[in-house]
Amino acid sequence: MTALPSAEVTRVIDQSHVDRYAVAAHDMNPIHRETSEAYAGPFGRPVAHGMMVLALVSEAMTDAVGAAWAAAGALKVRWRSPAFPPVRVTARATLKSDVDGVATYDIVCEDESGETLLTGTASARLA
Amino acid sequence: MTDPASHDPIAFDTLSRGDSLPPVALSITEADVLAYLDATGEDAARWPEHVPPIMLDALMLGVLLEQAELLPGLMHTGQEHESRRAVRIGEPITVQFTVASNSVRSGATFAVFDAEARVGDEVVATMRASVMAPPAGQTVATGVTA
């Protein structure tokens, strides 16, 4: 598969997704759930797991480079703002370079208001 | 999914750069993958054989949360990942974390953890997670997330 010039995934993350993710990922940090700790915590209310937002990036990269993402993918990201459920998140991968068989993408995730949630880069060595 | 915890979580303030946490066995079943994809919304038909790479990171972080003390308000601020090859569902994986840094500045804790996922002697994936815990009672508006 050749590297697509861009790929985009949009999905709504609501509290039920977050609760299911907490169980599936074995991440029961109370700041993600409807708990007193979340409301007393650093964000003042429950916040989606950052790794849930990153999962959309992984999905976009699979769209962009196919099986190469799982076989030889890499990323480096930083979260910029919290995602408060329910939130409509768009993950966008834009091809930055395709050199010597390595496709590198700029990564950004935004919420429905345009707030940047995550930025970084991702790459994959194409077969 | 993982070996049963055989000890209490390690106190966060005792973790120092270079410390290695005990290796933990991790086996990811088809049911685990389906539960993860149900939560994230990705089409399960795309992953009939292999583990989504970021799912592997998520479960490795789950191992860390079992091994180390969970500080109040702990947030995930950055993530790095590298796949050396695709990991098949059901492969016996061993995960081991190393402390890359751990410090307190202005009352906030900042730590970085590196981890390797191995199948036998083969490293199949690596990750680096950066985390931060604010001083008690402090609210964070933007700049980091969980």
Side-chain angles (χ1 to χ4, degrees), chain A residues 34-80:
Chain A
E34 288 284 348
T35 62
S36 56
E37 290 94 333
Y39 287 96
F43 299 111
R45 54 181 161 143
V47 58
H49 299 76
M51 292 297 285
M52 285 193 78
V53 175
L54 189 57
L56 302 190
V57 172
S58 181
E59 187 174 348
M61 285 302 295
T62 303
D63 290 344
V65 299
W69 174 240
L75 62 74
K76 182 176 183 178
V77 300
R78 187 161 188 84
W79 285 277
R80 302 295 178 184

